[in-house]
Amino acid sequence: MSSSDALAKGSGRQQPEEAESEVTRRDFLNEIAAATLGVAGLGATVVTVRYLSPNVLFEPPTQFRAGAADDFPVNSVTYIRDQQVYIVRMSMGFFAVSAVCTHLGCITQWKPEENQIACPCHGSKFSREGAKLAGPAPRALPHFSVRLAPDGQLVVDKLEIVKETQVLKV
Ligand code: FES
C-alpha cells in the first residue's frame, strides 16, 4: 500500500476506481426521472396522434348486388349471408326482407319445411313476407328496396325501407 492510499483510506475518501463504478443516489434519481419523462412523452405522443387522426367508422356498403334476377326461382327464399337479407321471389315479383330479428337483433333462419322465418334466440316466427307470426318480436321484419340494374342484376338498398306491399315486378 502506497502512502497516498493509506492517506486516502485514513481520511475516509474512496479510491478513484470505486468512485467511478458506484452509482450515486443523484445519478439513480436522474435516471428514474429521465425514464419517467420518456414514458410520459411517449404516452402524450400516442394520445396526440390518435386525437389528430380521423375517427372514421368503416362499414360495409348498404347497397349491394344480390345476383341476376333469373337465378332466383319463383317461390324461393334465398339468404344472402354477408348482407343478412332474404331475397324472396314470388309469382308477383321480388322483395328483400331483413334477416335481423326485430326483438334483440339475432339473425333469423329460413325454415322451408315450416315455410317460416324463425329466430333461434327467443322463438319469434315470421312469414316469408316478414310478417310477425309468434314470439316476442315487436314488429315485422323490414323490407328493403330492390331494383333491377340494366345488366339484369338485383340491387338492394338496405338504407331504404319500403312498404311490405312494394314488389319488384320482373
Ligand atoms: S332476438 Fe329474435 S326472438 Fe329475441
Side-chain angles (χ1 to χ4, degrees):
M1 184 180 293
S2 69
S3 61
S4 64
D5 289 345
L7 192 62
K9 195 172 187 179
S11 67
R13 287 187 295 157
Q14 295 172 334
Q15 294 293 326
E17 287 175 15
E18 289 176 10
E20 280 177 16
S21 65
E22 267 187 30
V23 177
T24 65
R25 182 175 175 191
R26 176 177 300 228
D27 290 342
F28 176 73
L29 291 176
N30 282 343
E31 286 179 17
I32 294 289
T36 304
L37 284 176
V39 169
L42 186 66
T45 303
V46 169
V47 169
T48 304
V49 167
R50 289 195 63 182
Y51 174 75
L52 293 177
S53 61
N55 195 8
V56 179
L57 182 64
F58 293 99
E59 292 186 347
T62 58
Q63 204 173 82
F64 68 95
R65 297 162 77 84
D70 294 338
D71 292 344
F72 297 89
V74 176
N75 288 323
S76 69
V77 178
T78 306
Y79 179 52
I80 311 293
R81 181 184 297 274
D82 57 341
Q83 296 292 335
Q84 299 171 347
V85 168
Y86 298 109
I87 303 295
V88 183
R89 184 173 191 181
M90 307 289 276
S91 56
M92 72 274 209
F94 287 93
F95 51 88
V97 180
S98 170
V100 180
C101 182
T102 54
H103 181 221
L104 293 178
C106 287
I107 302 305
T108 59
Q109 297 165 349
W110 166 241
K111 302 282 185 187
E113 65 281 358
E114 300 169 26
N115 198 27
Q116 288 179 345
I117 296 169
C119 181
C121 293
H122 311 103
S124 288
K125 293 184 186 305
F126 306 87
S127 69
R128 68 165 61 188
E129 290 80 15
K132 182 195 159 187
L133 302 175
R139 59 189 173 278
L141 299 173
H143 285 214
F144 302 127
S145 82
V146 188
R147 66 180 173 81
L148 193 63
D151 61 357
Q153 291 270 322
L154 294 175
V155 178
V156 178
D157 187 350
K158 295 200 294 184
L159 267 190
E160 193 178 341
I161 308 290
V162 298
K163 290 182 179 173
E164 297 82 34
T165 53
Q166 189 170 322
V167 173
L168 172 70
K169 294 183 172 69
V170 177

